[in-house]
Amino acid sequence: MAGQQRVYKARIKSTQALKKMFRAQELIAASRIGRARDRVAMATPYSRAITRAVSAVATHSDTSHPFLVEREDTQRVAVLLIASDRGMAGAYSASVIRETERLVHRLEGEGKQVALYVAGRRAVAYYTFRQRELAGRWTGFSDAPTPEIADEIADALLDAFRAPAQDGGVAEVHVVFTQFVNMVTQRPRVIRMVPLEVVEGVAPVEENDALPLYEFEPSPEEVLDALLPRYVRTRIYANLLQAAASELAARQRAMHTATENAEDLIRTYTRLANQARQGEITQEISEIVSGADALASS
């Protein structure tokens, strides 16, 4: 019985330490999620504006830009996966990795060769353990991305798209990230970045509205040359911000659940320790009574 008490007390002590850690992680995530949501809200209008600008040039001109047409000289495609650097976020990283694996399986089923670009230590560790070759990797910023990191990732992908086929050039660039819907819902998404696939198009035109007239200076080709790289950098930065907000929301929710589970375990172990103590007291009383009876009978 005494041994059982020591076991339960040790478990209570270790669970209390875990509870403190879970609670601290929950509070840290809660303190950062507000700023992450504000950054998403501030980046969204510019991202939509540049998307509409690119869409307008692509729709209202007959130019044939490399970013707008399918490459036929290679079957190699790039996939950028945005995951987290740290754990304790529930199924956040697992869900986006699973979505990436589905995309890779679909692309390979179409006869395409996939080059993986990974952001986040969890995903890097996942593919390194499985000995999968990575064309690029970035870590250390998942919950607080910066425009400089987004530019670095975008430049690597743009260089791969512009490169000749014999130098490892890619025909498509896909991005897999987690969209922040609200504090409860975060949804993995897959978008094709280039060749241009407009995610948020130009606002619909009513039946009686006149179609706008566009004139591009100096030319549609030069406008696209200036806009498209900026469009890719902006979209990747927006995706990184969405992923950061999703990661913090998932971590706060997971740590809140873990804290509650730790409290339940502490109550269970406390009850079991009390039962073991009562059993020990009962056994000692029984031994005392038995000894007294033996002395009386002798």
Side-chain angles (χ1 to χ4, degrees):
M1 292 295 182
Q4 288 184 350
Q5 280 196 72
R6 285 194 296 270
V7 170
Y8 290 134
K9 287 180 180 179
R11 290 180 179 177
I12 290 172
K13 186 175 180 180
S14 62
T15 307
Q16 286 175 337
L18 288 174
K19 175 188 171 183
K20 291 179 181 179
M21 181 180 65
F22 295 152
R23 181 61 177 166
Q25 291 291 335
E26 179 188 355
L27 293 176
I28 292 172
S31 65
R32 294 178 178 176
I33 186 63
R35 186 166 184 268
R37 293 172 65 182
D38 291 341
R39 295 179 72 188
V40 171
M42 287 187 291
T44 299
Y46 179 73
S47 177
R48 288 178 177 171
I50 197 168
T51 301
R52 287 171 178 155
V54 172
S55 175
V57 180
T59 304
H60 299 281
S61 66
D62 55 358
T63 182
S64 178
H65 195 276
F67 278 61
L68 303 178
V69 297
E70 301 278 350
R71 286 184 62 172
E72 298 180 354
D73 59 339
T74 179
Q75 289 295 308
R76 184 177 172 88
V77 299
V79 174
L80 171 64
L81 163 62
I82 302 175
S84 66
D85 285 321
R86 297 188 297 118
M88 295 187 176
Y92 169 77
S93 292
S95 61
V96 72
I97 290 174
R98 189 163 52 246
E99 191 69 30
T100 303
E101 287 297 300
R102 279 197 287 263
L103 173 63
V104 170
H105 181 74
R106 177 174 64 82
L107 293 173
E108 290 178 344
E110 297 173 358
K112 299 176 180 178
Q113 180 185 359
V114 176
L116 275 173
Y117 294 79
V118 177
R121 287 194 186 95
R122 305 295 289 185
V124 169
Y126 175 87
Y127 288 108
T128 302
F129 178 77
R130 286 157 179 78
Q131 299 181 352
R132 299 272 292 276
E133 182 181 356
L134 298 179
R137 62 181 72 189
W138 297 269
T139 59
F141 59 87
S142 66
D143 59 351
T146 62
E148 292 75 18
I149 289 293
D151 290 347
E152 181 180 340
I153 297 174
D155 289 342
L157 295 173
L158 289 172
D159 290 343
F161 186 76
R162 295 189 184 107
Q166 61 270 21
D167 294 335
V170 299
E172 300 174 5
V173 176
H174 299 262
V175 181
V176 187
F177 68 103
T178 306
Q179 180 186 16
F180 178 83
V181 180
N182 52 50
M183 290 297 295
V184 178
T185 304
Q186 297 87 43
R187 187 177 299 123
R189 283 197 59 193
V190 178
I191 62 173
R192 193 182 76 176
M193 192 72 65
V194 289
L196 182 63
E197 185 177 64
V198 178
V199 177
E200 298 161 9
V202 181
V205 179
E206 297 295 335
E207 183 178 355
N208 296 325
D209 289 347
L211 292 174
L213 299 177
Y214 290 90
E215 184 175 353
F216 303 104
E217 293 284 349
S219 68
E221 291 80 6
E222 295 187 50
V223 171
L224 286 174
D225 284 339
L227 278 180
L228 285 171
R230 187 171 298 180
Y231 162 79
V232 173
R233 295 186 181 99
T234 302
R235 295 295 301 181
I236 288 179
Y237 183 50
N239 295 342
L240 289 173
L241 293 178
Q242 290 272 352
S246 300
E247 177 187 345
L248 291 171
R251 179 168 294 117
Q252 181 186 8
R253 189 171 65 253
M255 290 299 97
H256 180 74
T257 302
T259 302
E260 292 181 341
N261 292 338
E263 292 174 349
D264 292 339
L265 279 176
I266 291 172
R267 285 192 291 267
T268 300
Y269 289 145
T270 301
R271 185 179 68 253
L272 293 174
N274 290 337
Q275 291 176 356
R277 181 172 177 273
Q278 292 172 0
E280 182 181 353
I281 293 173
T282 302
Q283 183 178 359
E284 290 177 355
I285 293 174
S286 299
E287 291 175 354
I288 293 171
V289 172
S290 299
D293 290 342
L295 290 174
S297 61
S298 61

